[in-house]
Structures are given as C-alpha cells and as structure tokens.
Amino acid sequence: MSWQDTLKKWTSFATLDEDLLKQLNALSDNEKELEDSFYKNLTFGTGGMRGMLGPGTNRMNIYTVRKAVEGLANYIVKNVKDAENRGVVIAYDSRYMSQEFAVEAARVLGAHKVKTYVFESLRPTPLLSFAVRHLHTAAGIMITASHNPPEYNGFKVYNADGGQVPLEEAAAIIDEVDKVEDELQVNVLEREELESADLLEWIGESVDTAYLKELKTIQKQSAEDQVNIVFTPLHGTAHDLVLEGLAQIGFKNVHVVKEQAQPDPEFSTVASPNPEEHQAFEMAIAQGTEVDADILIGTDPDADRLGVAVKDGQGSYQVLTGNQLGSLLLDFTLAQLEADQLQDGQVVKTIVTTELGRAIASYYGVDTIDTLTGFKFIGEKIKQFESDNRHFLFGYEESYGYLIGDFVRDKDAVQAAVAACEMANYWKAQGKTLLEALDVLYERHGYYLEDMKSLTLKGKDGAEQIAAIMDDIRKQPFEQLAGLKVIAVEDYHSSIRQLPLQESEEDITLPKENVMKFLLEEEAWVCFRPSGTEPKIKSYFGVKTAKSEQSKALVKQLQAEVDDRISKVIDA
C-alpha cells in the first residue's frame, strides 16, 4: 500500500482513537509530515522499537504498540514453556503515554490468556530486568525512550533471563510482528476483564524490597567518612530506589535537586534529560557548589545510565565521561576482591568502549571480553558464564551504562549510583578526589582518551544520508588517519578483519552489525556506527599516549579528518 492508502485506512477506521484522529485532522495540510508518519512501519528492531509519538504506522501510538505486543504474544506462546501462566511483567517510565502503553500491552497479552504483572507506578528499566528474574516470567516489557526528547517513546523487550532479547530470538519476534497485517484490528480485552479474570496483577513494593536486598550484596565499603552527595533523577524514575539504596548503606548527606526530583514528561529544566550532556548537570552543579558536595550523580529518565561530576583542582565541577567513570568503577570493584574471587572472573565491554578497561582488568589478572555495542550483548555473556567455569565481575559501555551485580541483566544506574558514592567515599578517605584517582590510573596504564561525535539526520532523507556515509566508508576505507597507518579494518557487517600491512584477513566471531572500525598505529582507533534507536550516525575515537595534551591533540586531529570525509559525502 502507498502511504496515502494507509492514511485513508486509518482515517476511515470507525473506532479510531479520538485523540489520534484529531491529530491527523490537524496535519491534513502538512503532506510531508503525513508521509513521514505513514511511509513505513515503525521499525521493530533487535531490542524493540522507539519513535516519535503521534498517529501513523511510523509513530508510537496505541496501535503500533498493540501490533508489537501481538507479535511478542504469538512468539512466547509458541516458544516459551508455560508462557500463559508465567506471564509477562511490564514497567514504564515518566514519558507521555507510558502508562497508557503499558496497559495496552496488558490488554493485548490478556487476549492471548497471558497473565501480566504491571507496576502500579513508574519504575526504572533495571528494576524491570530484575523483576523478570524475580517473578520468573516468560518475558518483560519496558515502556521507555530512555533519554530521547519529550516527543519520543519506546518499547523494549526482555526475555526470561531478564536481558534484552538476543539477535536470534529478536529475529523470531520481529518475524511474528511482521506477520500482524493490520495494527488497527489487534484483539484486546478491557482492563476490567483482565482484573476479574486474574490476568492482570498490579505489583510494586515487594519487588522493590527484593531488589534493594540484592543491591546490598554488592556493597564494597562502609559509609563512614560521609561524602557529601547531590543527586538528580532528571525528572525520571530513579528517585526512590537511589535514595533507599544510599540510605541502607549508611549515606546521610544526600541532597536532591528539588526542581528535577518529580517526574516530568517535558523534562522542563533541561535541554536533554541525558547525563551524557553536561548541561543536564547545571542545576546539580549549582546545588553542589552551595552545599560543597564531593560528588554529583545524575540518572537518565529510565535510570539505566548514570553521569557523575566531581570537583577539579580549581574547585569547579567536571563531568566525567562514561569511559572515565566506567574505568574508575572497574578498578574500584576489582581492587576490593580477593584473589579467589578474581580467578576465572570476566570483565565485559563493547567494541567502542575504552581500552583502558582491558589494561585495568589485566592488572588484576582478569580477562576482558569485547561485545558489539548494546548492553544486551553483555547480558548474553553473563548467561553464557553460567554454563562454564567463568563468572561475571563487571560490565560497561562508553554511553554511561554499568553493571556490577548480575541480579540485573541490563545496565543499572541505581547500582552504579550507589557504587560511585562508595567509591568517592573510599578515595576521600585516601585524601583524593575521583579526578585524582583517575590520574592514578593514567600514571599506571597510560593516558587513554576517547570521544564520540553524533550527527543527527532526521527523516527519510536523513536515513538515506546515513546509509550513504556508511557505504562510502566501506567501499573506500581509510588507509591512514592523523598520520597513523591503518593496521586493521574491521567490518562487522561482513564479519571480516582485513590486515592491510600483512595483506591478509581474519574472521570476526561477533554477530553481524552495520559497524566499521579502523585500528591505527600506536593503539589509536576510529569506529563508525549508525544508531539503532535514533536518527544518528556516531563516530567514536580512541587514543593512548604518554601525556594528556598529546592525547587531546591526536583525538582532535582524528575528528577533523573524519568530519571532513563525512561532510563531503553529505554534500555530494
């Protein structure tokens, strides 16, 4: 069907949701927006789907959610033993329509006689991962768009292990979703029917309590020196669990940024509710200055990412990068373990995460495993460790995602927030800030420095430009960058690692993905990856030199040459 035919199908649907119909009527004179809303189906990818709210097959609304859940329901009924009775647990964040989408998911599952456990109020993504394992459900659904702008929402699927579904399972679910021919005709039950038939159970406090009990098991230090903490949940879901987690360990000097404490789907005090962005810390920095805080912690709306800021030598606050915080947390975690606990332990990171992590793990005699970008691959590795003699010690990625205790199988900002405060407390007792602790790592392992540049290219035209950029880099690979020769070209789409200087090639054993990585002389590297959830292409850079300024200059030069190449493709 053409997008015009699909639009007509929607507008002529007798029981179309009134709000969506009003929005369509308001767009009647905006052909470009209507085309973008209907020219394709919203992509259900390897972890779920994410998109702008609104009417249309390429938007997040009750009908596209129903279609996705219909596919998931058909998959688990066919493939997961006793799925109807085990059920599906559903959580949601503070975004527009999140609670409504959670209920819609329950209505679809109920029509398949699959029981649902729905949280009575908003909860973090890591708690959803924990709840799947705690309740032994067949699957989990998280309604969230993470740190996207307010006009977005999304839908993430978790399997019975509590991790985001791996590629093979995701492909099977996607196949079932694609078989749903008409999103407007998906069968649903009314909420009252679900409750009376015991197909819908509201949950909350008991799962929180069980999670907090597990959280205490990863405590490394007692809170005796009492660092002064400022916390902002950035209008999201982390407020209660982070405060309770800090309190049960013994931290008392915790100040919450009041203006950002309450859930707000507009995220009205920040340009972006993303702790990766330094502007998200402006209010926390102001409050930290007022109370002389040692550490500022900020979580994104669904509380799976953590950002941290600490004082520099001039008394100002500096926001740590995800690579810096992850390296500090990794070193702190491993340093607290005994030799027998380190034995056969594994650290897991992604291919675009700092190589400093590998150096730190090696220092403690621990192996490091690389995965593709996405925490689902780290969760997969944890599952694999259960069947051999290895065990998980720490996992992280550069985009502010960390995991310490494997009772959760996704990145967990609640765990990381508590651990970061413990770590700051430990280093304060040694007379050091976290920045000074980072210098200790650089002196020990070398000055590793990383950066990432993200280029947003929206809509149909943007998707074509992103594809053109990747195609150009793949067909005409770099031979050198910043005066450094390329010693390996890793194409994760073809699973081939080419070694130009040796005129040979090797297989890449990781799953296929649209990623290109160039390994350079002197331990530098550059990687290109289109985002799977946003209209962006990301360029990653990593270097290692003997000095800070040398590393900064090299990263800057790499970025300039890459920017020039991408600009030429876009302008062509």
Side-chain angles (χ1 to χ4, degrees), residues 197-217:
D198 195 30
L199 287 170
L200 170 57
E201 182 176 333
W202 298 96
I203 60 171
E205 186 177 343
S206 63
V207 180
D208 298 346
T209 300
Y211 172 87
L212 288 166
K213 183 178 179 181
E214 291 287 349
L215 183 62
K216 203 165 184 178
T217 65

Side-chain angles (χ1 to χ4, degrees), residues 310-313 316-318 320 324 328 432-440 442:
V310 293
K311 281 185 179 178
D312 60 19
S316 299
Y317 288 98
Q318 180 177 321
L320 299 175
Q324 289 171 336
L328 283 165
K432 296 183 184 295
T433 68
L434 289 184
L435 286 176
E436 291 168 331
L438 191 61
D439 286 336
V440 172
Y442 291 146

Side-chain angles (χ1 to χ4, degrees), residues 50 57 101 126 136 189 207 246 253 271-272 282 299 302 315 326 341 437 444 447 449 458 481 507-508 522 528 547 569:
R50 190 180 300 182
T57 56
F101 290 160
H136 306 289
L189 296 183
V207 180
L246 292 171
N253 299 327
S272 170
E282 287 178 0
T299 53
D302 69 323
Q341 295 173 300
R444 181 183 296 163
Y447 202 94
L449 183 66
K458 292 184 177 180
L481 278 165
D507 292 334
I508 296 174
E522 300 180 18
F528 302 89
K547 296 181 180 180
V569 176

Side-chain angles (χ1 to χ4, degrees), residues 353-403:
T353 301
T354 178
E355 288 298 306
L356 177 56
R358 193 184 313 278
I360 292 168
S362 179
Y363 178 80
Y364 291 98
V366 173
D367 291 333
T368 300
I369 295 175
D370 283 330
T371 71
L372 292 177
T373 305
F375 225 88
K376 61 178 173 285
F377 297 111
I378 295 177
E380 267 190 281
K381 288 297 180 184
I382 300 173
K383 177 68 173 176
Q384 291 175 16
F385 297 159
E386 294 176 351
S387 61
D388 58 33
N389 293 323
R390 298 175 294 171
H391 61 277
F392 173 77
L393 294 176
F394 190 85
Y396 75 119
E397 57 186 4
E398 98 300 334
S399 54
Y400 292 67
Y402 319 98
L403 185 65

Side-chain angles (χ1 to χ4, degrees), residues 86-122:
R86 291 173 65 183
V88 174
V89 59
I90 305 171
Y92 54 92
D93 68 5
S94 56
R95 290 180 174 273
Y96 288 118
M97 297 296 294
S98 282
Q99 186 178 44
E100 289 87 345
F101 290 160
V103 173
E104 288 298 325
R107 294 178 68 196
V108 175
L109 288 161
H112 289 264
K113 306 301 181 186
V114 175
K115 181 167 182 173
T116 54
Y117 300 87
V118 182
F119 279 95
E120 63 206 0
S121 57
L122 55 81

Side-chain angles (χ1 to χ4, degrees), residues 147 234 271-282 319 400 536:
H147 54 273
L234 294 177
S272 170
N274 185 356
E276 293 183 63
E277 306 288 345
H278 291 197
Q279 56 78 30
F281 273 92
E282 287 178 0
V319 180
Y400 292 67
K536 296 179 178 180

Side-chain angles (χ1 to χ4, degrees), residues 255-505:
H255 311 269
V256 179
V257 178
K258 185 178 179 181
E259 297 88 344
Q260 298 173 331
Q262 294 303 312
D264 174 11
E266 280 295 321
F267 311 111
S268 52
T269 66
V270 291
S272 170
N274 185 356
E276 293 183 63
E277 306 288 345
H278 291 197
Q279 56 78 30
F281 273 92
E282 287 178 0
M283 285 189 168
I285 288 172
Q287 189 161 335
T289 302
E290 183 180 332
V291 302
D292 192 29
D294 298 295
I295 183 171
L296 317 178
I297 55 175
T299 53
D300 70 341
D302 69 323
D304 62 356
R305 298 172 194 253
L306 174 76
V308 164
V310 293
K311 281 185 179 178
D312 60 19
Q314 287 72 47
S316 299
Y317 288 98
Q318 180 177 321
V319 180
L320 299 175
T321 69
N323 282 312
Q324 289 171 336
L325 178 57
S327 298
L328 283 165
L329 285 169
L330 171 60
D331 181 75
F332 176 69
T333 299
L334 299 185
Q336 311 302 314
L337 299 177
E338 301 294 335
D340 61 330
Q341 295 173 300
L342 292 169
Q343 187 174 358
D344 298 319
Q346 302 289 309
V347 169
V348 191
K349 71 176 190 67
T350 73
I351 59 173
V352 295
T353 301
T354 178
E355 288 298 306
L356 177 56
R358 193 184 313 278
I360 292 168
S362 179
Y363 178 80
Y364 291 98
V366 173
D367 291 333
T368 300
I369 295 175
D370 283 330
T371 71
L372 292 177
T373 305
F375 225 88
K376 61 178 173 285
F377 297 111
I378 295 177
E380 267 190 281
K381 288 297 180 184
I382 300 173
K383 177 68 173 176
Q384 291 175 16
F385 297 159
E386 294 176 351
S387 61
D388 58 33
N389 293 323
R390 298 175 294 171
H391 61 277
F392 173 77
L393 294 176
F394 190 85
Y396 75 119
E397 57 186 4
E398 98 300 334
S399 54
Y400 292 67
Y402 319 98
L403 185 65
I404 303 162
D406 64 2
F407 52 90
V408 169
R409 297 298 166 90
D410 203 354
K411 51 187 178 285
D412 187 346
V414 180
Q415 283 190 34
V418 173
C421 292
E422 286 187 82
M423 177 173 65
N425 201 50
Y426 167 82
W427 282 108
K428 184 178 180 180
Q430 315 303 312
K432 296 183 184 295
T433 68
L434 289 184
L435 286 176
E436 291 168 331
L438 191 61
D439 286 336
V440 172
L441 296 182
Y442 291 146
E443 290 169 10
R444 181 183 296 163
H445 303 292
Y447 202 94
Y448 289 82
L449 183 66
E450 300 76 31
D451 203 356
M452 185 273 288
K453 296 196 75 172
S454 180
L455 177 63
T456 300
L457 297 165
K458 292 184 177 180
K460 184 179 179 182
D461 293 344
E464 292 172 352
Q465 288 176 317
I466 290 172
I469 292 167
M470 291 301 296
D471 187 56
D472 181 75
I473 292 170
R474 185 167 277 118
K475 290 181 177 177
Q476 301 179 69
F478 294 99
E479 295 181 1
Q480 67 172 29
L481 278 165
L484 301 175
K485 291 181 181 179
V486 172
I487 60 175
V489 181
E490 296 180 341
D491 186 342
Y492 289 84
H493 185 70
S494 64
S495 298
I496 296 295
R497 178 186 293 108
Q498 295 181 332
L499 306 168
L501 301 184
Q502 301 176 27
E503 296 183 347
S504 63
E505 62 181 39

